[in-house]
Amino acid sequence: MMAEYLVQIRIVIIATRSIEQPAKNVERPYNKTSIQKKENEMLNRIFRAIRLDKTVYEEIEAREDLDNEAWMIVGIIALVNGIIAAIVGASSGYGAAGFGAFISIVFLILVSYFSSVVSLYLVGTKLFGGLASFNEMRKVVAYAYAPYLLLSIPCVGFVAMIGFFITLFVAVRQTMDMSNG
């Protein structure tokens, strides 16, 4: 009786060890290091876009797997600026002002992004004969919006806006395969 009980305990211990320690040779598509690597690559592309590295726009234009990253960048920019506006609005003494500021800023940034993409695509392709697809333009403009992260910081917002326009100019020129001359 005692021996059977010990055998059952040993089986339970072996079973729990196999659950706690997964097999070593199993490939997992979303492990911690692959997610960190993708985050580092995305941040690298964002910083290269801010530094006006022309090759990053060619890379973004060519890669089809950057659609989700482009949406994430625009979403993060809208949320960060919305949260900062909500904090400023709530600190004014009106709680509803904070929520209204959040909704307004998020909405305005998203409308600004979509209207920028549509207008730049139409002007670039129809008026100047650019060679980009709408999806390529959408991805590149999302990365060009990276300076918007600094927009709500006092004393830095004006510089960030100038940086945004310069980044947007370089991004559109590279995506449309145009030159300055």
Side-chain angles (χ1 to χ4, degrees), residues 3-68:
E4 290 176 14
Y5 181 70
L6 290 174
V7 169
Q8 288 177 350
I9 290 176
R10 182 176 168 103
I11 291 172
V12 169
I13 291 172
I14 291 172
T16 56
R17 282 185 186 163
S18 66
I19 291 171
E20 291 172 0
Q21 299 174 352
K24 296 184 189 238
N25 294 331
V26 176
E27 174 105 11
R28 289 179 183 76
Y30 299 109
N31 58 23
K32 189 174 182 180
T33 56
S34 71
I35 292 172
Q36 287 174 343
K37 183 178 178 188
K38 286 186 179 202
E39 288 173 352
N40 289 339
E41 289 174 356
M42 182 175 82
L43 288 174
N44 183 26
R45 277 189 288 277
I46 289 171
F47 288 128
R48 285 172 52 205
I50 291 172
R51 287 183 298 200
L52 304 175
D53 181 4
K54 296 175 185 177
T55 61
V56 73
Y57 297 112
E58 298 293 332
E59 176 186 343
I60 294 166
E61 182 183 1
R63 289 185 53 186
E64 294 293 326
D65 62 329
L66 297 180
D67 284 341
N68 290 337

Side-chain angles (χ1 to χ4, degrees), residues 3-180:
E4 290 176 14
Y5 181 70
L6 290 174
V7 169
Q8 288 177 350
I9 290 176
R10 182 176 168 103
I11 291 172
V12 169
I13 291 172
I14 291 172
T16 56
R17 282 185 186 163
S18 66
I19 291 171
E20 291 172 0
Q21 299 174 352
K24 296 184 189 238
N25 294 331
V26 176
E27 174 105 11
R28 289 179 183 76
Y30 299 109
N31 58 23
K32 189 174 182 180
T33 56
S34 71
I35 292 172
Q36 287 174 343
K37 183 178 178 188
K38 286 186 179 202
E39 288 173 352
N40 289 339
E41 289 174 356
M42 182 175 82
L43 288 174
N44 183 26
R45 277 189 288 277
I46 289 171
F47 288 128
R48 285 172 52 205
I50 291 172
R51 287 183 298 200
L52 304 175
D53 181 4
K54 296 175 185 177
T55 61
V56 73
Y57 297 112
E58 298 293 332
E59 176 186 343
I60 294 166
E61 182 183 1
R63 289 185 53 186
E64 294 293 326
D65 62 329
L66 297 180
D67 284 341
N68 290 337
E69 273 188 19
W71 289 117
M72 280 191 336
I73 290 169
V74 173
I76 288 169
I77 290 168
L79 289 175
V80 165
N81 284 299
I83 289 169
I84 292 172
I87 291 170
V88 170
S91 67
S92 67
Y94 302 102
F99 181 72
F102 174 80
I103 296 298
S104 298
I105 293 297
V106 168
F107 178 75
L108 287 173
I109 288 177
L110 293 177
V111 167
S112 169
Y113 169 71
F114 289 119
S115 62
S116 296
V117 171
V118 170
S119 61
L120 289 170
Y121 174 73
L122 291 176
V123 169
T125 56
K126 306 296 182 202
L127 193 60
F128 292 109
L131 303 173
S133 71
F134 183 79
N135 194 35
E136 291 170 348
M137 182 60 69
R138 185 186 55 76
K139 291 185 296 188
V140 169
V141 170
Y143 278 91
Y145 260 63
Y148 253 73
L149 284 172
L150 306 173
L151 195 63
S152 296
I153 299 173
C155 302
V156 178
F158 181 72
V159 175
M161 186 57 83
I162 292 171
F164 161 70
F165 286 122
I166 293 170
T167 306
L168 189 62
F169 174 79
V170 171
V172 171
R173 189 186 64 192
Q174 284 301 122
T175 304
M176 291 289 180
D177 299 323
M178 297 179 182
S179 66
N180 288 338

